[in-house]
Amino acid sequence: MKKLSLRTLLSVAIAATLPFSAAAETLKYAGSTAPLTFDPHATNDFLTTAIARQTYESLVELGPNMELIPGLATAWDYKGDATWRLTLREGVEFHDGTLMTAEDVAFSILRQSTSRRYKSLFGQITAANVVDDMTVDIVTSAPDAVMPVKLSRLFVMSKAWADTNGVLDVPDLGSDSTEAYSLRHANGTGPMILEEQIPGEKTTFVKNDGWWGTFSGNVDRAEYTAIGSAPTRLAALLSGEVDLITDVPLQDIERIESTDGFAVVEGPQRLFMELEMDGTRDIALATYDKEGNPLEANPFKDVRVRKAIALAVDSEAIVERVMRGHAKALSMPSAPGFYGYPEDMDVRQPVDYEQAKALLAEAGYPDGFATTLNCPLERYVNAEEICRASASLLARIGIDVSVNAMVWPEFAKMLVNGPDSSFHLIGAAGNSGDVQDTFAAVLHTRDTESGLGQQNWAMWSSPALDDTFAELVSSFDPEKRTELYRQGLKIAQDEQHAVYLHQPFITWAMDDVVNATVRADSAVVLSDVTVAE
Amino acid sequence: MTASYLVRRLGHAFLVIFVVSLIAFQLGEVIGDPVTAILGLEAPESARVELREELGLDAPYVVRYAAYIADAFTGDFGMSYKAQRPVADVIVERVPATFELAMVALIISLSVGIPLGVVAAIWRETWWASALMTVSIIGVSLPTFVIGILLIFAFSVNLGWLPSFGRGDTVMIGGWSTGLLTPSGLAALIMPAISLAISQVALVARLVRAEMLEVLRMDYIRFARARGIKDRVVHFRHALRNTLLPIITVSGIQIGYLIAFAVVVEQVFQWPGLGTMFLSALTESDIPVITAFLVLIACVFATINLIVDLLYAMADPRVRLSKG
């Protein structure tokens, strides 16, 4: 090899930087993690899905404000007998040029519903029947009013393509020992065609000119790179190597906003942060009296204690100080962007330490008590700081909280293999984004058999809420449903299911030439992005 | 004698690898839960139980370890939970990036560190030699990621000369992807290699200086001077040669360190090597990848140590004869 002097190295380096400035209608963007696979049925990682969504489309699409709009299905009707009838869009082509048929749709429904990662969402589907070329019936084991919402997460793949490439079944970690074809190849119907996927590094898309929809943007090529280190990601944006970054750390927002030529946009994420309190155990874990002796009771089970904690934890202050204003304070287990969120009911009670102390005294803890708050270190924005702030707020009413911070794998293990926590911070949503699913997954009494309350990690239990949920599941009348959503959320507020903190915002930063809108599922919708010349 | 020396050294190497593999495999039990790592929080209990059975996680530790080692000998390190690809593939495609980075950093650290050390030793009484050594302490004590970020903000953000992340374009030669043959690949290599080399430069310089001072005090140097041999010849032919012997050992170990500790630099520059792979595996509790990486690093260290020991034995017959 040629010997290199410093001078040649420098000139080489300068030459290498030249192409950076010439960004025409190519969008280069970067986020914190790489998409794991392009098989949309083999992952439930929300960042992976947000990227795969550019290639594979769902039966029901999400609008900019997460409202349901026709996707590959143009209509969906409940015809009784736990059956939903889907009318498919005509003339939709896969990227390989073949026409999408009801066969492909039925195949995709069954393929995804058998995926272990989608059992919670689609496990109830028992059949997908082809009625005619453009009609498919979905049959579930029990009537399911929120199926259309769930279908916004059901992706359609070509059956013939899957057959040819040996991926008729969802790739399985246990039995396979080779890489599945669908990991880095894709054949969907979406606005972008997957050109190349280098796992862990880079993903390249090109525009699908044969797409059935209309492009409101002008991107004809997009490159996504994972840059794990936040300062480097920011540097890549500021140096012009990328045009847009997702996952902007809160402390950098001001810096970017004050830099000429760059803009920050944000939007609500479909997630709410809450402190969950043990609702079942008779003796709370890691909870002591003020002398440090284990407490022979579970103070969290008493609704007065729960109320006292909620009155003391000032979520507005946490939003302002810890989240630097990039979040929305909440008073219920729902937030804007969820189907069924009643904005008028979301009114926070003002912080009141005196009333909180009085409630504690009434419950038999005039001097307070000591407990442990389990706290994940990453995964949620500023999670540890939220826990520390809550702890110092609770100290004001005599509850001494020691924060037990742990890395995410350890935290997740504690919940899933237990749940072994009486007091913890967590971000919750439910599976589909409909309040009914939040009730099913997060608020319903935990029941391993039916899978209800599967993410009810604090084992809170309210017969009234369980009844409301049962009624909701079998109600198809929109008005009745609205009433039941409100009723359930009211119960959660009244019985103080948890301490509701806030809904975090998704923050993107971009070069001024780029125009993109933040969506609650974190997806950069490439067909809507504009890059100015 | 040589044969038994070799056998003993090999035995040591295997023992090290065995112990590390045991610990690495045990780690998988401690950090997180594989099933949770794969399915996330939203999967129902039934799906978890099924997957646990399918992955054979219910079998006793010894059985699983034996199966793992047996597979490992055939080159099968299992499937990565997150990447859903064979671990061997994931690792093999990332070795070139880390290896090239480590080698370039090694070359930088030696080619800058040795002259610095020599100069500091020969002119040890001048003020600038001690200033050099003081600066080198700063080099040792600045954390690598701080150097990396400073470089990025200087040369990428402010000057726009060098790319802040990635490896640029690469060329495949056989199964080896190299970034050394493309302009963008070389440009991308500069800052990561320098960040990785800086603390090593200081280390090498101080080591060479100390060693050289030692040698310069030896009788044969005095005799050489007494015979009227020129300073230049004394310094570079007689003294430097003898100084370099221990540097061989250190460079050997250094390669190991550079590969293992490239983790931080790789993360800062999003260098697609073993380090970024390892860090993301850690945060996702992708246990097969973590285990394989740790075993691989143990192998690298053991092999380098073995080679260094053998080189030493060749250079110095007394090492061969002693008990080792």
Side-chain angles (χ1 to χ4, degrees), chain B residues 1 25 64 103 116 118-119 121 129 151 188 194 209 213 225 232 251 265 276 284 297 305 311:
Chain B
M1 281 311 253
F25 196 77
R64 281 185 295 129
M103 288 315 286
L116 271 183
V118 170
V119 164
L151 286 176
I194 291 176
R209 178 178 174 272
L213 285 177
R225 287 194 208 273
R232 203 165 57 89
S251 319
V265 170
T276 40
E284 291 157 347
I297 291 296
N305 264 317
L311 281 179

Side-chain angles (χ1 to χ4, degrees), chain A residues 398-514:
Chain A
I399 301 179
D400 296 337
V401 177
S402 63
V403 174
N404 177 26
M406 35 187 141
V407 292
W408 177 258
E410 197 189 342
F411 184 81
K413 185 180 180 179
M414 170 192 75
L415 295 184
V416 170
N417 294 357
D420 295 323
S421 170
S422 283
F423 193 33
H424 55 256
L425 171 79
I426 193 148
N431 300 326
S432 70
D434 191 288
V435 170
Q436 177 185 315
D437 257 352
T438 309
F439 289 167
V442 185
L443 279 87
H444 199 281
T445 304
R446 211 175 149 82
D447 179 9
T448 335
E449 199 119 311
S450 65
L452 288 169
Q454 185 270 325
Q455 296 167 60
N456 183 352
W457 308 115
M459 304 188 291
W460 180 73
S461 175
S462 156
L465 184 107
D466 295 355
D467 291 345
T468 309
F469 171 76
E471 212 181 331
L472 188 58
V473 171
S474 52
S475 301
F476 283 76
D477 171 40
E479 259 170 57
K480 172 93 177 153
R481 290 185 64 81
T482 309
E483 201 36 58
L484 289 167
Y485 286 143
R486 297 177 69 91
Q487 190 180 316
L489 291 169
K490 185 85 175 56
I491 295 168
Q493 281 178 324
D494 288 347
E495 299 187 18
Q496 205 72 51
H497 142 257
V499 178
Y500 308 112
L501 299 173
H502 57 260
Q503 172 182 37
F505 290 163
I506 294 172
T507 316
W508 296 350
M510 56 191 88
D511 197 299
D512 275 345
V513 297
V514 179

Side-chain angles (χ1 to χ4, degrees), chain A residues 12-13 17 42 44 116-117 119-120 172 176 179 183-184 201 226-229 232 235 239 241 413 416 448 454, chain B residues 29 38-39 41-44 48 50-51 54 79 83-85 152 156 160-164 183 267-268 270 272:
Chain A
V12 153
T17 59
N44 56 1
R116 217 170 260 139
R117 292 177 173 81
K119 270 218 166 140
S120 303
D172 198 326
D176 297 339
E179 181 185 318
L183 185 104
R184 56 172 109 196
E201 286 184 47
I227 305 180
S229 147
T232 312
S239 65
E241 290 162 85
K413 185 180 180 179
V416 170
T448 335
Q454 185 270 325
Chain B
E29 317 277 293
I38 297 168
L39 295 179
L41 290 183
E42 54 173 61
R48 290 180 201 286
E50 263 176 47
L51 183 64
E54 203 167 295
M79 290 284 277
Q84 305 182 14
R85 304 173 57 211
I152 288 176
S156 301
W161 289 356
L162 297 171
S164 57
Q267 172 73 3
V268 169
Q270 194 62 35

